Amino acid sequence: MNWNPTWICPANDLGDPAAVFGTSFVFEKKITHANLTITAMGVYEARLNGRRVGQFVMAPGWTSYHKRLQYQEYDITDLLTNGKNEIEVTVGKGWYRSPLPGWLGCAYQDELRSRPCGLAAQIALTFEDGSSKILSTDESWKVSDGPVRFSEIYDGEIYDSAKTPLLDQPVTIFDGPTDTLILQQGEEVCEQERLAVKKVFVTPNGETVLDFGQNMTGYVELFVNAKAGDCVDLSFAEVMDKEGNFYTENYRGAKAQYHYICSDGVQTWHPSLTFYGFRYIRINDFPGGIDCVKPENFTAIVVHSNMKRTGFLSSSNAMLNQLFSNIIWGQKGNFLDVPTDCPQRDERLGWTGDAQVFVRTACLNYDAEKFFTKWLADLASDQHDDGYVGHVIPDLLQNPHASSAWGDAAAICPWQVYLAFGNKQILKNQYQSMKKWIDYITSTTTTKYLWTGGTHYGDWLGLDAPSGSYKGSSNEDFIASAFYAYSTSLVIQAGTVLREDVSELSTLYENIVNTFQKTWPTYNTQTECVLAAHFKLAKDCQATADQLADMVRACGTKLQTGFVGTPYLLHVLSDYGHTDLAWDLLLRTKYPSWLYPVTKGATTIWEHWDGIMEDGSFWSKDMNSYNHYAYGSVADWVYGVAAGILPRKDAPGYANVTIAPHPDKRLDWLRAELDTRHGHISSFWTKEDDSWRYEITVPVEADIVIDGVCHSVRAGSYCFYSDQKNA
């Protein structure tokens, strides 16, 4: 559709309340079809004759607004009446006009926030006689404030149910965005699940708290019988402190308000223009007093991008199963139109480093192709002419220096999405962006064929960090140069798939590897070993992996890696004959480990391994999210090595597949299932007497590798056995 809309905004500033735009229309002829096309500068909720239009929460979604603004189309035929029809659209600040990020501003975001609360809409009517009519936003529409008295991303929502929109104020037409409009590209954000209260308790401080049993992203629905003017006021938290009291300091500047002013009688309400990250709610005010609170008054509604679940992991180990659940909930909580780092504090940004770390796991757990297609299009839009890629997308930070392993999302994410789903279009869409990223590194480095002289996050949150530093001890130029090589290799592979000339890139890659090997013949940290071996940069990758294994054992069989090294750590160990040690790390329950947070009651992945320390105190209040999905990337090792479901570069999208399981005697069984573009894959192993029994189902031709023996099979279900001594 080539849409050239008319934008309207309130003629007079309405202040904090969300604007409610509206008009009415009648028609004499019988309608056969009606369609609403709509977008906003903010987030909107449209209602026609009192009924909600569509299920998109936080529409029109979050894009790089200065270059791309989505609009939606809805079939509204069934919402029309034969008489007078009334449409109302409430527009809140959303991502477009909220003060994001919470701790600083940037020039273009300041400019966007200064823009008016804009709406553009069009209703297309088709009549039975074949004629048609278009009704567009224009000066005949009216506006007023309404029941949403305040709404922002970080600071929550205030709602007065007694406030009825009067639609008595004029609108004005203004020059809103037109050439940046695009039809909905990403997945819609929708309500997905409803969670009942698990328990109600009173804290040592005397506060009444409700526990939903799961850290999540969304909002709380209220059901109450009240009097006009009664209030419901809630606060949100992810964890309780060591004394068992309500804890909100890790939300930093995010107020996360939930304030509802009641009308008379039985009523149901939930926020509609914002979202929260939480497990617990504190009752600050309630009709009749706190003693009147009942669990059935509240339901938590889970909200995230509408992706299909495709991957499933389960085992005989209850703690491992909780980890699998935490990984899924971490993805759900942070895949709300963009891959955010966290959903609760004054941040909630699309960090590129987190996305590239997790992309492979993301595309195993869910069909995330459409989700990443849209986000990567924003990455390409925000990419500078010289190839710079920001630390977050949409790029609100506008940091002057790109960081390795963060900007490398430009190359890593498209390639992993292609491997997962086998669609060349993602490479076609992103290939120029991928190349520009390599060009940026090449043009900004201070050492030819390496990446030096930059400002980077390094091995962020590495456990071998010097005192007072968030960065691990790995050499930052080493990390940057390793990713320079890795991303270049991915662009070569993508170019080969697309039949592009990659000769210059191939020469560049050879020079990078040769220079890297001369510059860093030895490795000093776990992460340096991991990158050198996994990216095939070491002259002797086996020796490097052996060194890594020695390092892991020498420090008490513990990982010391951060954001950069952790995603590949277990892969390097298992790729070079140390699968038993990889299992040791995965099944470790003491800090630091994937299972340590489980021992502390975690229901999502934490930002820090010790977000809650052994004594119950907190790592910090400044940067301590309990819903941070990045370390959940370990699931791709469980799918790909433990269960053995391996993607193949020569058969992307699992058009052919290799199944090579690696069982461990500490588990009685493990099952992985994956729905692919070519059908359902299942890999299950279990103990049976002194043998391992493998039950494997493949929808395509496959190589099934048991104890090093390859069995080439057709589509079907198969059973194999092996001696546990050999596994």
Side-chain angles (χ1 to χ4, degrees):
M1 176 182 175
N2 186 15
W3 185 34
N4 187 25
T6 300
W7 282 92
I8 59 173
C9 66
N12 305 303
D13 185 11
L14 299 179
D16 280 338
V20 183
F21 297 89
T23 192
S24 62
F25 57 94
V26 295
F27 46 86
E28 303 296 333
K29 296 184 288 187
K30 185 175 181 180
I31 287 181
T32 58
H33 183 76
N35 194 72
L36 171 66
T37 304
I38 184 171
T39 191
M41 293 165 62
V43 293
Y44 71 82
E45 182 185 70
R47 291 186 174 273
L48 181 56
N49 298 323
R51 297 166 63 188
R52 197 184 199 283
V53 177
Q55 301 301 317
F56 195 159
V57 176
M58 304 294 289
W62 191 10
T63 49
S64 297
Y65 293 128
H66 57 306
K67 292 184 179 178
R68 288 159 39 87
L69 174 60
Q70 294 183 132
Y71 64 88
Q72 289 74 44
E73 295 182 337
Y74 303 98
D75 185 341
I76 57 171
T77 309
D78 292 341
L79 299 180
L80 295 175
T81 66
N82 291 326
K84 184 179 180 181
N85 291 271
E86 297 180 336
I87 184 169
E88 289 187 354
V89 184
T90 303
V91 180
K93 292 181 180 179
W95 296 287
Y96 206 117
R97 294 181 293 114
S98 290
L100 308 179
W103 63 93
L104 62 96
C106 62
Y108 93 78
Q109 193 67 8
D110 288 342
E111 185 270 330
L112 288 176
R113 286 200 298 269
S114 69
R115 286 188 173 184
C117 169
L119 174 69
Q122 173 181 287
I123 297 174
L125 304 173
T126 302
F127 300 103
E128 192 175 44
D129 63 6
S131 62
S132 61
K133 185 176 183 179
I134 300 293
L135 306 173
S136 296
T137 42
D138 58 23
E139 290 177 321
S140 69
W141 284 57
K142 298 296 182 182
V143 69
S144 69
D145 58 355
V148 179
R149 309 308 296 164
F150 176 87
S151 182
E152 278 189 356
I153 294 296
Y154 298 146
D155 289 345
E157 198 157 302
I158 299 172
Y159 191 96
D160 184 351
S161 62
K163 180 70 175 178
T164 301
L166 300 177
L167 299 180
D168 58 351
Q169 298 184 42
V171 301
T172 186
I173 295 174
F174 73 102
D175 186 19
T178 55
D179 58 349
T180 57
L181 292 179
I182 59 168
L183 182 61
Q184 174 70 30
Q185 184 181 29
E187 300 281 9
E188 290 189 358
V189 177
C190 298
E191 295 182 357
Q192 303 287 345
E193 303 169 57
R194 300 172 72 86
L195 305 181
V197 173
K198 185 176 181 179
K199 66 176 180 179
V200 181
F201 61 94
V202 177
T203 70
N205 285 341
E207 298 172 323
T208 298
V209 173
L210 279 64
D211 177 9
F212 290 99
Q214 176 62 57
N215 200 9
M216 53 159 283
T217 301
Y219 35 70
V220 172
E221 183 175 81
L222 167 71
F223 175 79
V224 66
N225 189 353
K227 297 178 181 178
D230 286 345
C231 294
V232 177
D233 189 88
L234 311 178
S235 295
F236 296 82
E238 294 185 288
V239 294
M240 298 291 105
D241 70 15
K242 64 185 299 183
E243 286 79 31
N245 288 311
F246 200 74
Y247 178 77
T248 61
E249 286 187 324
N250 69 317
Y251 282 53
R252 301 193 307 209
K255 296 178 182 177
Q257 298 172 97
Y258 180 113
H259 190 85
Y260 176 77
I261 302 171
C262 303
S263 53
D264 270 323
V266 175
Q267 52 213 284
T268 299
W269 177 80
H270 63 70
S272 58
L273 304 173
T274 191
F275 62 94
Y276 309 79
F278 66 99
R279 171 175 172 171
Y280 302 93
I281 58 173
R282 181 181 64 201
I283 312 299
N284 303 318
D285 196 2
F286 193 79
I290 301 299
D291 292 340
C292 295
V293 172
K294 298 179 181 178
E296 54 266 30
N297 292 131
F298 301 97
T299 301
I301 300 178
V302 179
V303 172
H304 60 79
S305 290
N306 195 28
M307 305 168 295
K308 177 186 176 184
R309 178 83 180 270
T310 52
F312 303 86
L313 296 171
S314 57
S315 77
S316 58
N317 184 312
M319 293 186 70
L320 201 55
N321 290 341
Q322 184 62 56
L323 173 64
F324 299 156
S325 174
N326 293 359
I327 292 168
I328 292 295
W329 279 97
Q331 183 170 353
K332 290 192 292 189
N334 284 290
F335 275 45
L336 198 150
D337 209 38
V338 304
T340 59
D341 58 328
C342 60
Q344 77 296 95
R345 67 189 181 209
D346 57 350
E347 191 165 354
R348 314 185 196 189
L349 305 178
W351 284 92
T352 47
D354 300 55
Q356 69 85 5
V357 159
F358 192 73
V359 60
R360 184 171 172 180
T361 292
C363 294
L364 287 161
N365 290 335
Y366 285 89
D367 185 342
E369 182 179 16
K370 187 175 181 181
F371 176 90
F372 275 110
T373 295
K374 173 255 184 185
W375 184 73
L376 286 169
D378 282 300
L379 184 151
S381 293
D382 274 348
Q383 190 171 16
H384 295 188
D385 291 341
D386 65 357
Y388 163 96
V389 173
H391 301 185
V392 300
I393 299 296
D395 190 7
L396 273 61
L397 298 181
Q398 295 288 302
N399 193 291
H401 303 287
S403 174
S404 64
W406 272 250
D408 288 285
I412 295 171
C413 290
W415 182 251
Q416 289 297 336
V417 173
Y418 167 68
L419 287 184
F421 304 109
N423 186 353
K424 293 181 184 179
Q425 191 61 48
I426 189 70
L427 299 182
K428 293 178 181 177
N429 293 349
Q430 300 298 133
Y431 186 65
Q432 293 305 315
S433 170
M434 298 169 78
K435 286 181 62 181
K436 283 172 62 178
W437 171 243
I438 303 304
D439 291 341
Y440 171 81
I441 301 172
T442 303
S443 64
T444 58
T445 183
T446 58
T447 305
K448 193 173 184 180
Y449 302 133
L450 299 175
W451 189 2
T452 61
T455 302
H456 307 281
Y457 290 108
D459 191 23
W460 188 249
L461 301 183
L463 294 177
D464 55 358
S467 177
S469 174
Y470 284 147
K471 301 179 183 180
S473 294
S474 298
N475 183 294
E476 290 185 27
D477 288 341
F478 179 104
I479 293 171
S481 299
F483 273 89
Y484 183 20
Y486 181 51
S487 287
T488 301
S489 74
L490 296 183
V491 180
I492 291 169
Q493 293 179 72
T496 301
V497 170
L498 299 175
R499 298 186 178 181
E500 297 282 344
D501 181 0
V502 296
S503 55
E504 289 187 12
L505 285 167
S506 297
T507 300
L508 173 63
Y509 176 71
E510 291 175 7
N511 286 325
I512 295 171
V513 173
N514 290 334
T515 308
F516 185 96
Q517 291 177 349
K518 292 175 183 177
T519 306
W520 291 291
T522 60
Y523 316 114
N524 300 314
T525 67
Q526 287 186 14
T527 288
E528 289 179 8
C529 288
V530 166
L531 298 185
H534 192 69
F535 294 164
K536 303 295 189 294
L537 299 175
K539 285 187 176 180
D540 188 339
C541 289
Q542 182 64 59
T544 303
D546 293 344
Q547 179 188 351
L548 171 66
D550 291 341
M551 286 179 166
V552 170
R553 293 190 180 99
C555 67
T557 313
K558 295 185 295 187
L559 56 81
Q560 291 185 311
T561 50
F563 263 44
V564 167
T566 302
Y568 310 120
L569 173 61
L570 301 192
H571 287 283
V572 171
L573 291 173
S574 57
D575 286 348
Y576 293 95
H578 301 285
T579 304
D580 57 339
L581 186 56
W583 273 110
D584 289 342
L585 291 177
L586 180 65
L587 296 176
R588 177 184 170 89
T589 57
K590 294 181 179 179
Y591 166 81
S593 67
W594 282 277
L595 294 185
Y596 170 76
V598 174
T599 70
K600 292 296 184 180
T603 61
T604 40
I605 300 297
W606 292 354
E607 184 173 16
H608 297 274
W609 303 107
D610 58 345
I612 299 175
M613 294 190 283
E614 291 282 6
D615 64 358
S617 60
F618 298 124
W619 187 87
S620 78
K621 63 182 179 181
D622 175 60
M623 194 179 71
N624 203 12
S625 163
Y626 295 95
N627 194 351
H628 231 80
Y629 64 84
Y631 287 139
S633 59
V634 72
D636 76 44
W637 184 86
V638 180
Y639 283 107
V641 179
I645 303 174
L646 297 172
R648 287 166 41 166
K649 296 176 184 177
D650 62 341
Y654 302 91
N656 295 114
V657 65
T658 298
I659 311 290
H662 291 80
D664 186 90
K665 293 178 182 179
R666 284 164 286 188
L667 269 63
D668 292 328
W669 58 269
L670 177 100
R671 183 188 300 276
E673 298 184 70
L674 182 63
D675 291 324
T676 75
R677 293 288 187 267
H678 297 275
H680 184 76
I681 298 172
S682 176
S683 176
F684 171 69
W685 49 256
T686 184
K687 290 178 181 177
E688 190 168 293
D689 299 325
D690 293 328
S691 299
W692 290 111
R693 175 186 171 94
Y694 304 87
E695 297 177 12
I696 296 169
T697 298
V698 289
V700 293
E701 291 183 355
D703 290 334
I704 299 176
V705 182
I706 306 295
D707 289 348
V709 179
C710 182
H711 308 268
S712 296
V713 301
R714 297 179 179 178
S717 297
Y718 299 88
C719 181
F720 297 90
Y721 290 88
S722 72
D723 192 324
Q724 287 189 28
K725 295 178 181 179
N726 297 326

